[in-house]
Amino acid sequence: MEKIRMNTPLVEIDGDEMTRILWKMIKDELLLPFVDLKTEYYDLGLPHRDETDDRVTIDAANAIKRYGVGVKCATITPNAARVKEYDLKDMYRSPNGTLRAILDGTVFRTPILVNGIEPCVSNWKSAITIARHAYGDVYKNTEAVIPSAGTAYLVFEAEDGTVTKQEIFAFRGPGVLQGMYNTDSSIFSFARSCFAYALSVRQDLWFSAKDTISKKYDGRFKEIFEDVYENEYKEKFKEAGITYFYTLIDDAVARIMKSEGGIVWACKNYDGDVFSDMLSSAFGSLAMMTSVLVSPDGYYEYEAAHGTVQRHYYKYLAGEETSTNSVATIFAWTGALRKRGELDGIKELEGFADRLENAVKDTIESGIMTGDLIRITSLKETTKVNSLEFIQAVRRTLEASF
Ligand code: NAP
Ligand code: MG
């Protein structure tokens, strides 16, 4: 078989621990034999981040701006224990945080559905993608414990010196207080990423907030979504046969539970924090959840939603057998290859991504799966395989599909 050609390289961002081991297995078994893989490689493994004083993370982000599409392995976000373990010069910030700060995107998380791993909600027939606004609100709040009676004000001092002052509350005794903010520019970016993503997957977009109570704050979010829809996406949505729909957050939750799925659900920061965890556990497993960062300028960065699976890595280092699920990491690659094919007009590359995803699903549906899925599957006849055996089984299914 002739290998599938690529024109533009993918930005390949390597990572840490068990996912770094899976990364190489996936390339060797599932990509290199089939695709004339072109990548520009950035090693975000913690030792190399340390060698470059984390410059490599910034270089990787800029490469995504140059080429448009990246694929990322899970990486360690250092804490005090990691600084010691890796003898780091600094407690570097989260690579995903750095990438997001440079690309200014929204993260979309989508569960991978297979027969035999059923969602808890039986009417969910297709995946629900959650888009979480990852800027501001309560995550950047200023809080105070109020010790005694007194009056709290919301004060804004404009650059020209004009001051507006509104009373928040006249405390008669101790209490608590918090202030938070968001910016039009971030909300516009969020909205544009959501519309662009919904259009690219041809699914309806829902946005939910609580503008009946928070008339100005959440009201502004609603207005900005409406503005982007009316002025930039209405026609495109119509052509694609999809709709945009705003509803209150509590109504959205009720409707999601009754829906058949196949929706992109945009959430404010806190709502997204809460409901992404609800969706990922209701759909089955963190190891079956993909994630893509979409920038408002149309750059895409694909990855698995889980971390580096540290506990399995220590077993691997000790020479013990591991049964780590590589599905979300494989889907990060297929997502990136499909997008690259789409942007470069290479149908074979898009076709290969579909074929590889189907091979993964067929393999699991035939009963061959890693330990995490064995625990939750409804299939009766199953075979538990180790990390490499799973990838090799997918390769056999893939080869048989040509
Ligand atoms: P984790 O890597 O997501 O793993 C947590 C647990 O979930 C594992 O111990 C394992 O459970 C299960 N699990 C997750 N992915 C799995 C897979 N593919 N196959 C089988 N089981 C899987 O989270 P963590 O161990 O808390 O974090 C490890 C490192 O990852 C941290 O240094 C953190 O900074 C980093 N992290 C990176 C990202 C990212 O790059 N996007 C995201 C999150 C965390 P069992 O042990 O019970 O088998
Ligand atoms: Mg959370």
Side-chain angles (χ1 to χ4, degrees), residues 106 108 131 187-207 221-238 240 242-246 264 266 294-296 300:
T106 299
F108 296 82
I187 305 166
F188 268 108
S189 290
F190 174 50
R192 289 195 173 106
S193 299
C194 291
F195 283 105
Y197 183 84
L199 190 63
S200 83
V201 294
R202 294 184 174 256
Q203 289 182 345
D204 290 349
L205 175 66
W206 294 12
F207 174 57
F221 277 80
K222 182 184 176 186
E223 266 170 30
I224 289 174
F225 266 76
E226 197 63 35
D227 179 324
V228 173
Y229 176 63
E230 286 295 330
N231 296 313
E232 300 170 34
Y233 279 93
K234 200 173 182 172
E235 286 307 312
K236 293 177 193 158
F237 265 46
K238 211 180 199 173
I242 55 176
T243 56
Y244 165 64
F245 169 64
Y246 170 82
V264 180
V294 181
S295 85
Y300 293 79

Coordinates of all heavy atoms in Angstrom, one line a residue, residues 106 108 131 187-207 221-238 240 242-246 264 266 294-296 300:
T106 N -10.9 28.4 23.1 CA -11.8 27.7 23.9 C -11.6 26.2 23.8 O -11.3 25.8 22.7 CB -13.3 28.1 23.4 OG1 -13.4 29.5 23.5 CG2 -14.3 27.4 24.2
F108 N -13.0 22.5 23.7 CA -14.2 21.7 23.5 C -13.9 20.2 23.8 O -12.9 19.7 23.4 CB -14.5 21.7 22.0 CG -14.9 23.1 21.5 CD1 -13.9 24.0 21.2 CD2 -16.2 23.5 21.5 CE1 -14.3 25.3 20.8 CE2 -16.6 24.8 21.1 CZ -15.6 25.7 20.8
A131 N -18.3 23.2 25.7 CA -17.3 24.3 25.4 C -17.3 25.2 26.7 O -18.4 25.7 27.0 CB -17.7 25.1 24.2
I187 N -15.1 37.5 25.7 CA -16.4 36.9 25.4 C -16.6 36.7 23.9 O -17.2 35.7 23.4 CB -17.6 37.6 26.1 CG1 -17.3 37.8 27.6 CG2 -18.9 37.0 25.9 CD1 -18.2 38.8 28.3
F188 N -16.2 37.8 23.2 CA -16.3 37.7 21.7 C -15.5 36.5 21.2 O -15.9 35.7 20.3 CB -15.8 39.0 21.1 CG -16.9 40.0 20.8 CD1 -17.1 41.1 21.5 CD2 -17.9 39.7 19.8 CE1 -18.1 42.0 21.3 CE2 -18.9 40.6 19.6 CZ -19.0 41.8 20.3
S189 N -14.2 36.3 21.7 CA -13.4 35.2 21.3 C -14.1 33.9 21.6 O -14.1 33.0 20.7 CB -12.1 35.2 22.1 OG -11.3 36.2 21.7
F190 N -14.6 33.8 22.8 CA -15.3 32.6 23.2 C -16.5 32.3 22.2 O -16.6 31.2 21.7 CB -15.8 32.8 24.6 CG -16.7 31.7 25.2 CD1 -16.3 30.3 25.1 CD2 -17.9 32.0 25.8 CE1 -17.1 29.3 25.6 CE2 -18.7 31.0 26.3 CZ -18.3 29.6 26.2
A191 N -17.3 33.3 22.0 CA -18.5 33.1 21.1 C -18.0 32.7 19.7 O -18.5 31.7 19.1 CB -19.3 34.4 21.0
R192 N -17.0 33.4 19.2 CA -16.5 33.1 17.8 C -16.0 31.6 17.7 O -16.2 30.9 16.8 CB -15.5 34.0 17.4 CG -16.0 35.4 17.1 CD -15.1 36.3 16.3 NE -15.8 37.5 16.0 CZ -15.6 38.7 16.6 NH1 -14.6 38.8 17.5 NH2 -16.3 39.8 16.2
S193 N -15.2 31.2 18.8 CA -14.7 29.8 18.8 C -15.9 28.8 18.8 O -15.8 27.8 18.1 CB -13.8 29.6 20.0 OG -12.7 30.4 20.0
C194 N -16.9 29.1 19.5 CA -18.0 28.2 19.6 C -18.8 28.1 18.3 O -19.1 27.0 17.9 CB -19.0 28.7 20.7 SG -18.3 28.5 22.4
F195 N -19.1 29.2 17.7 CA -19.8 29.2 16.4 C -18.9 28.5 15.3 O -19.4 27.7 14.6 CB -20.1 30.6 15.9 CG -21.3 31.2 16.6 CD1 -21.2 32.1 17.6 CD2 -22.6 30.7 16.4 CE1 -22.3 32.6 18.3 CE2 -23.7 31.2 17.0 CZ -23.6 32.2 18.0
A196 N -17.6 28.8 15.3 CA -16.7 28.2 14.3 C -16.7 26.6 14.5 O -16.7 25.9 13.6 CB -15.3 28.7 14.5
Y197 N -16.6 26.2 15.8 CA -16.6 24.8 16.1 C -17.9 24.1 15.7 O -17.8 23.0 15.1 CB -16.2 24.5 17.6 CG -16.1 23.1 17.9 CD1 -14.9 22.4 17.7 CD2 -17.1 22.3 18.4 CE1 -14.7 21.1 17.9 CE2 -17.0 21.0 18.6 CZ -15.8 20.4 18.4 OH -15.7 19.0 18.6
A198 N -19.0 24.7 16.1 CA -20.3 24.1 15.8 C -20.4 23.9 14.3 O -20.9 22.9 13.8 CB -21.4 24.9 16.4
L199 N -20.0 24.9 13.6 CA -20.1 24.8 12.1 C -19.2 23.7 11.6 O -19.6 23.0 10.7 CB -19.7 26.2 11.5 CG -19.9 26.4 10.0 CD1 -21.4 26.3 9.7 CD2 -19.4 27.8 9.6
S200 N -18.0 23.6 12.1 CA -17.0 22.6 11.6 C -17.5 21.2 11.9 O -17.2 20.3 11.1 CB -15.6 22.8 12.1 OG -15.4 22.3 13.4
V201 N -18.3 21.0 13.0 CA -18.8 19.6 13.2 C -20.3 19.5 12.8 O -20.9 18.4 12.9 CB -18.6 19.2 14.7 CG1 -17.2 19.0 15.0 CG2 -19.3 20.1 15.6
R202 N -20.9 20.6 12.2 CA -22.2 20.6 11.8 C -23.2 20.1 12.9 O -24.0 19.2 12.6 CB -22.4 19.8 10.5 CG -21.7 20.4 9.4 CD -21.9 19.7 8.1 NE -21.3 20.5 7.0 CZ -21.9 21.3 6.2 NH1 -23.2 21.4 6.2 NH2 -21.3 22.0 5.3
Q203 N -23.1 20.7 14.0 CA -24.1 20.4 15.1 C -24.6 21.7 15.7 O -24.0 22.8 15.6 CB -23.3 19.7 16.2 CG -23.0 18.3 15.9 CD -22.3 17.5 17.0 OE1 -21.9 18.1 18.0 NE2 -22.2 16.2 16.8
D204 N -25.9 21.6 16.2 CA -26.5 22.8 16.8 C -25.7 23.3 18.0 O -25.0 22.5 18.7 CB -27.9 22.4 17.4 CG -28.9 22.1 16.3 OD1 -28.6 22.4 15.1 OD2 -30.0 21.6 16.6
L205 N -25.7 24.6 18.1 CA -25.0 25.2 19.3 C -26.0 25.8 20.3 O -26.9 26.5 19.9 CB -24.1 26.4 18.7 CG -23.4 27.2 19.8 CD1 -22.4 26.4 20.6 CD2 -22.8 28.5 19.2
W206 N -25.8 25.4 21.5 CA -26.6 25.9 22.6 C -25.7 26.8 23.5 O -24.5 26.4 23.7 CB -27.1 24.8 23.5 CG -28.1 23.9 23.0 CD1 -28.5 23.8 21.6 CD2 -28.9 22.9 23.7 NE1 -29.4 22.8 21.5 CE2 -29.7 22.3 22.7 CE3 -29.0 22.6 25.0 CZ2 -30.6 21.2 23.1 CZ3 -29.9 21.6 25.4 CH2 -30.7 20.9 24.4
F207 N -26.2 27.9 23.9 CA -25.5 28.7 24.9 C -26.4 29.0 26.0 O -27.6 29.3 25.8 CB -24.9 30.0 24.3 CG -24.3 30.9 25.4 CD1 -23.3 30.4 26.1 CD2 -24.8 32.2 25.6 CE1 -22.7 31.2 27.1 CE2 -24.2 33.0 26.6 CZ -23.2 32.5 27.3
F221 N -23.1 38.5 28.0 CA -22.7 37.3 27.4 C -23.8 37.0 26.3 O -23.4 36.6 25.1 CB -22.6 36.1 28.3 CG -21.3 36.0 29.1 CD1 -21.1 36.8 30.2 CD2 -20.4 35.0 28.7 CE1 -19.9 36.6 30.9 CE2 -19.2 34.9 29.4 CZ -18.9 35.7 30.5
K222 N -25.0 37.0 26.7 CA -26.1 36.7 25.8 C -26.1 37.6 24.6 O -26.2 37.2 23.4 CB -27.4 36.8 26.5 CG -28.6 36.4 25.7 CD -29.9 36.6 26.4 CE -31.1 36.4 25.5 NZ -32.4 36.7 26.2
E223 N -25.9 38.9 24.8 CA -25.9 39.9 23.7 C -24.7 39.7 22.8 O -24.9 39.7 21.6 CB -25.6 41.3 24.3 CG -26.8 42.2 24.7 CD -26.3 43.4 25.5 OE1 -25.2 43.9 25.3 OE2 -27.2 43.8 26.3
I224 N -23.6 39.3 23.3 CA -22.4 39.1 22.5 C -22.6 37.9 21.6 O -22.3 37.9 20.4 CB -21.1 39.1 23.3 CG1 -20.8 40.5 23.8 CG2 -19.9 38.5 22.5 CD1 -19.6 40.6 24.8
F225 N -23.1 36.8 22.2 CA -23.4 35.6 21.3 C -24.4 36.0 20.2 O -24.2 35.5 19.1 CB -23.9 34.5 22.2 CG -22.9 33.5 22.7 CD1 -22.0 33.9 23.7 CD2 -22.7 32.3 22.1 CE1 -21.0 33.1 24.1 CE2 -21.7 31.4 22.5 CZ -20.8 31.8 23.5
E226 N -25.4 36.7 20.6 CA -26.4 37.1 19.6 C -25.8 37.9 18.5 O -26.1 37.7 17.3 CB -27.5 37.9 20.4 CG -28.8 38.1 19.7 CD -29.6 36.8 19.4 OE1 -29.5 35.9 20.3 OE2 -30.2 36.7 18.4
D227 N -25.0 38.9 18.9 CA -24.3 39.7 18.0 C -23.4 38.9 16.9 O -23.5 39.1 15.7 CB -23.4 40.7 18.8 CG -22.6 41.7 17.9 OD1 -22.2 41.3 16.8 OD2 -22.4 42.8 18.4
V228 N -22.6 38.0 17.5 CA -21.8 37.2 16.6 C -22.6 36.3 15.7 O -22.3 36.2 14.5 CB -20.8 36.3 17.4 CG1 -20.0 35.3 16.6 CG2 -19.8 37.2 18.2
Y229 N -23.7 35.8 16.2 CA -24.6 35.0 15.4 C -25.2 35.8 14.3 O -25.1 35.4 13.1 CB -25.7 34.3 16.3 CG -26.7 33.5 15.5 CD1 -26.3 32.4 14.8 CD2 -28.0 33.9 15.4 CE1 -27.2 31.7 14.0 CE2 -28.9 33.2 14.7 CZ -28.5 32.1 14.0 OH -29.4 31.4 13.2
E230 N -25.8 36.9 14.7 CA -26.6 37.7 13.7 C -25.6 38.2 12.6 O -25.9 38.2 11.4 CB -27.2 38.9 14.3 CG -28.5 38.5 15.1 CD -29.6 38.0 14.3 OE1 -29.7 38.4 13.1 OE2 -30.4 37.1 14.8
N231 N -24.4 38.7 13.0 CA -23.6 39.4 12.0 C -22.6 38.5 11.3 O -22.0 38.9 10.3 CB -22.8 40.5 12.7 CG -23.8 41.6 13.2 OD1 -24.7 42.0 12.5 ND2 -23.7 41.9 14.5
E232 N -22.3 37.3 11.9 CA -21.2 36.5 11.3 C -21.6 35.1 10.9 O -20.9 34.5 10.1 CB -20.0 36.5 12.2 CG -19.4 37.9 12.6 CD -18.4 37.8 13.7 OE1 -17.6 36.8 13.8 OE2 -18.3 38.8 14.5
Y233 N -22.6 34.6 11.6 CA -22.8 33.1 11.4 C -24.2 32.7 11.0 O -24.4 31.6 10.6 CB -22.4 32.4 12.7 CG -20.9 32.1 12.8 CD1 -20.1 33.0 13.5 CD2 -20.4 31.0 12.1 CE1 -18.8 32.8 13.5 CE2 -19.0 30.8 12.2 CZ -18.2 31.7 12.9 OH -16.8 31.5 12.9
K234 N -25.2 33.6 11.0 CA -26.5 33.3 10.7 C -26.7 32.5 9.3 O -27.3 31.5 9.3 CB -27.4 34.5 10.7 CG -28.9 34.2 10.9 CD -29.7 35.5 11.1 CE -31.1 35.1 11.3 NZ -31.9 36.4 11.7
E235 N -26.1 33.2 8.3 CA -26.2 32.6 7.0 C -25.5 31.2 6.9 O -26.0 30.2 6.3 CB -25.6 33.5 5.9 CG -26.5 34.7 5.6 CD -27.9 34.3 5.3 OE1 -28.1 33.4 4.4 OE2 -28.9 34.9 5.8
K236 N -24.3 31.2 7.5 CA -23.5 29.9 7.4 C -24.2 28.8 8.2 O -24.2 27.6 7.7 CB -22.1 30.1 8.1 CG -21.2 31.1 7.3 CD -19.9 31.3 8.0 CE -19.1 32.5 7.5 NZ -18.2 33.1 8.4
F237 N -24.9 29.1 9.3 CA -25.6 28.1 10.0 C -26.8 27.6 9.2 O -27.1 26.4 9.2 CB -26.1 28.7 11.4 CG -25.1 28.4 12.5 CD1 -23.8 28.5 12.4 CD2 -25.6 27.9 13.7 CE1 -22.9 28.3 13.4 CE2 -24.7 27.6 14.8 CZ -23.4 27.8 14.6
K238 N -27.5 28.5 8.5 CA -28.6 28.2 7.7 C -28.2 27.2 6.6 O -28.8 26.1 6.4 CB -29.2 29.4 7.1 CG -30.7 29.4 6.9 CD -31.1 30.7 6.3 CE -32.5 31.1 6.3 NZ -32.6 32.5 5.8
A240 N -25.7 25.3 6.6 CA -25.2 24.0 7.2 C -26.4 23.2 7.8 O -26.3 22.1 8.2 CB -24.1 24.2 8.2
I242 N -28.0 23.9 10.6 CA -27.9 23.9 12.1 C -28.4 25.1 12.7 O -28.6 26.1 12.0 CB -26.4 23.6 12.5 CG1 -25.5 24.7 12.0 CG2 -26.0 22.2 12.1 CD1 -24.0 24.6 12.5
T243 N -28.7 25.1 14.0 CA -29.3 26.2 14.6 C -28.5 26.7 15.9 O -27.7 25.9 16.4 CB -30.7 25.9 15.1 OG1 -30.7 24.8 16.0 CG2 -31.7 25.6 14.0
Y244 N -28.7 28.0 16.2 CA -28.1 28.5 17.4 C -29.3 28.8 18.4 O -30.3 29.3 18.0 CB -27.4 29.8 17.2 CG -27.1 30.5 18.5 CD1 -26.3 30.0 19.5 CD2 -27.7 31.8 18.7 CE1 -26.1 30.6 20.7 CE2 -27.5 32.4 20.0 CZ -26.7 31.8 20.9 OH -26.5 32.4 22.1
F245 N -29.1 28.4 19.6 CA -30.2 28.5 20.6 C -29.7 29.0 21.9 O -28.7 28.4 22.4 CB -30.7 27.0 20.6 CG -31.7 26.7 21.7 CD1 -33.0 27.3 21.8 CD2 -31.4 25.8 22.7 CE1 -33.9 27.0 22.8 CE2 -32.3 25.5 23.7 CZ -33.5 26.1 23.7
Y246 N -30.3 30.0 22.5 CA -29.9 30.5 23.8 C -31.0 30.1 24.8 O -32.2 30.2 24.5 CB -29.8 32.0 23.9 CG -29.7 32.5 25.3 CD1 -28.4 32.5 25.9 CD2 -30.8 32.9 26.0 CE1 -28.3 32.8 27.3 CE2 -30.7 33.2 27.4 CZ -29.4 33.2 28.0 OH -29.3 33.5 29.3
V264 N -23.5 20.9 20.6 CA -22.4 21.7 21.2 C -23.0 22.6 22.2 O -23.8 23.4 21.9 CB -21.6 22.5 20.1 CG1 -20.4 23.2 20.8 CG2 -21.1 21.5 19.0
A266 N -22.3 25.4 24.9 CA -21.3 26.5 25.4 C -21.7 26.9 26.8 O -22.9 27.2 27.0 CB -21.3 27.6 24.4
V294 N -9.8 25.5 20.2 CA -10.1 26.2 19.0 C -9.9 27.7 19.2 O -10.6 28.3 20.1 CB -11.5 25.9 18.5 CG1 -11.8 26.6 17.2 CG2 -11.8 24.4 18.3
S295 N -9.0 28.3 18.5 CA -8.8 29.7 18.7 C -9.8 30.5 17.8 O -10.3 30.0 16.8 CB -7.4 30.1 18.3 OG -7.3 30.3 16.9
P296 N -10.1 31.7 18.2 CA -11.0 32.5 17.4 C -10.5 32.8 16.0 O -11.2 33.1 15.0 CB -11.2 33.8 18.2 CG -10.1 33.9 19.1 CD -9.7 32.5 19.4
Y300 N -6.2 25.1 15.6 CA -6.8 24.0 16.3 C -5.6 23.2 17.0 O -4.6 22.9 16.4 CB -7.5 23.0 15.3 CG -8.7 23.6 14.7 CD1 -8.7 24.5 13.7 CD2 -10.0 23.2 15.2 CE1 -9.8 25.0 13.1 CE2 -11.1 23.7 14.7 CZ -11.1 24.6 13.6 OH -12.2 25.2 13.1

